[in-house]
Structure formats: C-alpha cells, structure tokens
C-alpha cells in the first residue's frame, strides 16, 4: 500500500485531480474555524461592550451618580435582558438621548417623549432598590451598593440581621486583636 505524503507535479498526471493530504486538510480546516470564530467573537464582544458602555452612561446620567459600580451595572443589565430581548437597541437609543441631555430630569423627559420612560424608570428603580422584578421572579443585583442607603450612610448601617452591618463577620470581633488559636483542633 502506497501513501502519498507530498505529491510533486512531476509524479502527478496532467488530468489527475490534486491530492490533498490529511494534514493539509486538518490545518486548513482549523485555520478556517479559528478565523471564523475569532472574527464573530470579537465583533460580538465589541457590540456588547458598546451596549454596556451606553447602559453605564445612561445609568450615571439618570441617577446623577458618577461613581456607580460597573459590576452592579453589569448585573442590572443582565437581569433586565431576561424580560427585554430588545434591550440592546433600546439602550442604544437611550444612549443617544443621554448624550444630548445632561441632567436626569432632561433625560427622563426626553425618554418619556420617545416612549422609553418606563425602561428608564426600571433602570433607576434597580439602582436604588438593588432588585429587579422579572418574569422569573425578583432578582437581587445589589444589596450593600443599592443607592437607597447612600443618603443615610453616615449615620446608619445597611439594615441586616447581622450585627454591625453586612459582612461584619469577615473581620475580627470587637476588642479582639488576633484570631484565636484552635487548640486542640476541633475541626
């Protein structure tokens, strides 16, 4: 049995079809798949980044807060996407309005005029309460970062069943200078 690894023009007949090796076929296929997925993935990533940047800008304008968390913004966007499959196009339109109207009141009036006032109110409510009501039930996107706690942050802690606020147990208890030594080991 003869295996053709690399036929040269001198061994191939004039009317014979070209011989393609398995290695050449696999390499070409891998390169083609890589090129197709890379271009589509980078295009999808660029489009998602653009929509997210618009959403983040709209959120900053409607809340009047320039120091919003980008992580919370991503959570709100993903939760809104559950019930609003057309959210990217709506956010693009709101982004254009946000560029033209610099205050929250101007943006709200412009969005109401274009029929997107409810979406803007939903975004604002999500930022302040930290929750979004979806068809699958409520989604908590933030607790400690919810904007409703900011006005009283200097005097009150975020309400919780935990002593001294959320995540208090991650530090040492009051008046304890070091972690106790577990001797003899219990666990």
């Amino acid at each position: 049995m003869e295996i053709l690894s690399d036929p040269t023009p001198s061994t191939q007949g004039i009317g014979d079809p070209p011989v393609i090796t398995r290695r050449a076929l696999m390499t070409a296929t891998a390169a083609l798949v890589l090129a197709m997925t890379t271009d589509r993935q980078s295009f999808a990533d660029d489009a998602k980044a653009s929509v997210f940047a618009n959403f983040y800008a709209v959120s900053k304008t409607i809340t009047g807060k320039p120091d919003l968390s980008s992580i919370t913004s991503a959570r709100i966007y993903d939760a809104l996407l559950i019930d609003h499959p057309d959210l990217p196009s709506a956010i693009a339109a709101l982004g254009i309005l946000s560029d033209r109207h610099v205050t929250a009141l101007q943006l709200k009036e412009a969005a109401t005029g274009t029929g997107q006032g409810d979406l803007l109110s939903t975004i604002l409510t999500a930022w302040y309460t930290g929750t979004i009501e979806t068809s699958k039930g409520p989604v908590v996107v933030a607790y400690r970062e919810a904007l409703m706690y900011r006005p009283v942050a200097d005097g009150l802690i975020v309400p919780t069943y935990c002593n001294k606020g959320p995540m208090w147990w991650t530090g040492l208890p009051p008046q304890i200078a070091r972690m106790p030594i577990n001797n003899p080991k219990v666990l």
Side-chain angles (χ1 to χ4, degrees):
M1 180 171 162
E2 183 180 336
I3 299 175
L4 295 176
S5 60
D6 189 18
T8 60
S10 61
T11 61
Q12 194 172 5
I14 295 176
D16 294 340
V19 177
I20 299 174
T21 63
R22 183 175 60 194
R23 180 174 298 189
L25 180 63
M26 294 297 283
T27 304
T29 303
L32 181 63
V33 167
L34 180 66
M36 290 174 57
T37 58
T38 302
D39 290 341
R40 287 183 182 166
Q41 187 64 36
S42 65
F43 178 73
D45 289 346
D46 290 346
K48 187 174 182 180
S50 173
V51 170
F52 181 72
N54 278 339
F55 182 79
Y56 196 46
V58 167
S59 294
K60 287 180 178 182
T61 302
I62 194 62
T63 61
K65 312 280 186 220
D67 59 341
L68 296 177
S69 166
S70 61
I71 294 170
T72 303
S73 182
R75 290 177 184 161
I76 292 171
Y77 179 80
D78 290 341
L80 286 174
L81 205 54
I82 294 171
D83 287 338
H84 302 283
D86 60 335
L87 187 64
S89 61
I91 293 301
L94 284 175
I96 293 169
L97 290 176
S98 177
D99 291 341
R100 294 184 198 154
H101 304 90
V102 290
T103 67
L105 184 59
Q106 291 173 343
L107 179 58
K108 176 68 175 164
E109 289 172 354
T112 302
T114 61
Q116 294 182 325
D118 291 339
L119 177 61
L120 206 60
S121 292
T122 302
I123 294 169
L124 186 62
T125 302
W127 275 107
Y128 272 88
T129 63
T131 60
I132 298 173
E133 195 64 43
T134 68
S135 60
K136 297 179 179 181
V139 175
V140 178
V141 292
Y143 182 69
R144 187 174 174 192
E145 295 84 19
L147 295 181
M148 68 180 170
Y149 299 119
R150 281 194 183 181
V152 294
D154 61 337
L156 297 174
I157 59 170
V158 176
T160 179
Y161 289 108
C162 303
N163 286 341
K164 300 177 183 36
M167 304 297 286
W168 70 272
W169 60 86
T170 59
L172 292 173
Q175 289 121 12
I176 302 293
R178 65 175 178 79
M179 284 299 258
I181 298 171
N182 193 3
N183 192 8
K185 284 207 178 258
V186 178
L187 299 174

